[in-house]
């Protein structure tokens, strides 16, 4: 009986180790395909122009050097933040999921409709690579944007779409 248990133990280790070598690479590749499919349906510009187009039909602009984050500006009002200046933000995060009808955003989390709840607070720095801070290099503190994010790390992070509204402290 001990030999049979040992055999099942070894067999399970072999199966687990065989499957796990390619899993992260396969998952990352699947996520890249989902993200690329989503972005192929969008108007994409790979550089930031002097004047950003705004509105629901605005393009997604590439905003990071690793080609992971794209921004669509719905509205751009207010004043751009200076170094270490603070603002509030509310956001909804959507996972990009492959469906029968293409790639669809599926709500993952939100704090946009939480009345009485304090919104998130950001302290802007020009050298930050935090996805929620990157748009503030280009838009003011009363703005609404979408971020399409390929992945945050080299693990198995799913591609996502974030809806973010920034507003100044004190409003």
């Amino acid at each position: 009986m001990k030999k049979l248990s040992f055999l099942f133990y070894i067999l399970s280790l072999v199966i687990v180790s065989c499957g796990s070598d390619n899993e992260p690479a396969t998952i990352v590749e699947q996520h890249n395909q989902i993200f690329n499919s989503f972005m192929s349906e969008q108007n994409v510009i790979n550089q930031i122009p002097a004047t950003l187009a705004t509105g629901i039909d605005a393009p997604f602009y590439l905003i990071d050097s690793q080609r992971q984050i794209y921004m669509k500006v719905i509205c751009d009002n207010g004043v751009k933040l200076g170094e270490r200046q603070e603002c509030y933000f509310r956001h909804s995060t959507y996972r990009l999921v492959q469906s029968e009808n293409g790639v669809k955003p599926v709500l993952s989390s939100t704090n946009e409709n939480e009345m009485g709840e304090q919104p998130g607070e950001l302290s802007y720095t020009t050298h930050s690579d935090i996805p929620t801070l990157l748009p503030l290099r280009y838009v003011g503190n009363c703005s609404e944007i979408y971020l399409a994010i390929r992945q945050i790390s080299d693990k198995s992070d799913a591609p996502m779409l974030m809806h973010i509204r920034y507003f100044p402290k004190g409003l």
Side-chain angles (χ1 to χ4, degrees), residues 68-115:
Q68 302 293 316
I69 304 172
Y70 295 78
M71 171 183 71
K72 176 191 268 193
V73 182
I74 304 303
C75 67
D76 181 10
N77 300 310
V79 178
K80 287 186 181 168
L81 296 174
E83 190 70 22
R84 305 226 184 271
Q85 200 170 1
E86 296 178 336
C87 72
Y88 290 128
F89 76 103
R90 294 227 183 246
H91 69 90
S92 291
T93 302
Y94 302 84
R95 288 179 295 112
L96 295 177
V97 177
Q98 185 69 48
S99 73
E100 297 166 356
N101 301 326
V103 176
K104 302 292 180 201
V106 175
L107 184 63
S108 176
S109 67
T110 186
N111 73 355
E112 287 195 80
N113 299 321
E114 297 174 3
M115 295 302 199

Side-chain angles (χ1 to χ4, degrees), residues 133-154:
L133 286 175
L134 282 175
L136 291 171
R137 294 179 185 170
Y138 311 104
V139 298
N141 60 7
C142 285
S143 300
E144 179 180 359
I145 58 115
Y146 281 95
L147 287 182
I149 303 173
R150 182 179 304 273
Q151 64 187 46
I152 294 177
S153 72
D154 61 355

Side-chain angles (χ1 to χ4, degrees), residues 18-133:
C18 288
S20 65
D21 285 344
N22 293 328
E23 265 182 42
T26 303
I27 291 171
V28 169
E29 182 58 33
Q30 288 172 348
H31 289 166
N32 274 331
Q33 288 174 357
I34 291 170
F35 185 81
N36 291 341
S37 179
F38 176 77
M39 293 307 284
S40 72
E41 298 171 3
Q42 310 300 319
N43 180 9
V44 177
I45 297 178
N46 287 321
Q47 59 186 7
I48 299 288
T51 304
L52 298 174
T54 61
I56 198 69
D57 295 326
F60 274 93
Y61 298 106
L62 176 64
I63 63 171
D64 78 318
S65 60
Q66 288 81 33
R67 305 183 70 78
Q68 302 293 316
I69 304 172
Y70 295 78
M71 171 183 71
K72 176 191 268 193
V73 182
I74 304 303
C75 67
D76 181 10
N77 300 310
V79 178
K80 287 186 181 168
L81 296 174
E83 190 70 22
R84 305 226 184 271
Q85 200 170 1
E86 296 178 336
C87 72
Y88 290 128
F89 76 103
R90 294 227 183 246
H91 69 90
S92 291
T93 302
Y94 302 84
R95 288 179 295 112
L96 295 177
V97 177
Q98 185 69 48
S99 73
E100 297 166 356
N101 301 326
V103 176
K104 302 292 180 201
V106 175
L107 184 63
S108 176
S109 67
T110 186
N111 73 355
E112 287 195 80
N113 299 321
E114 297 174 3
M115 295 302 199
E117 182 99 7
Q118 186 74 0
E121 188 173 320
L122 293 172
S123 178
Y124 174 69
T125 59
T126 55
H127 301 293
S128 176
D129 287 334
I130 298 171
T132 52
L133 286 175

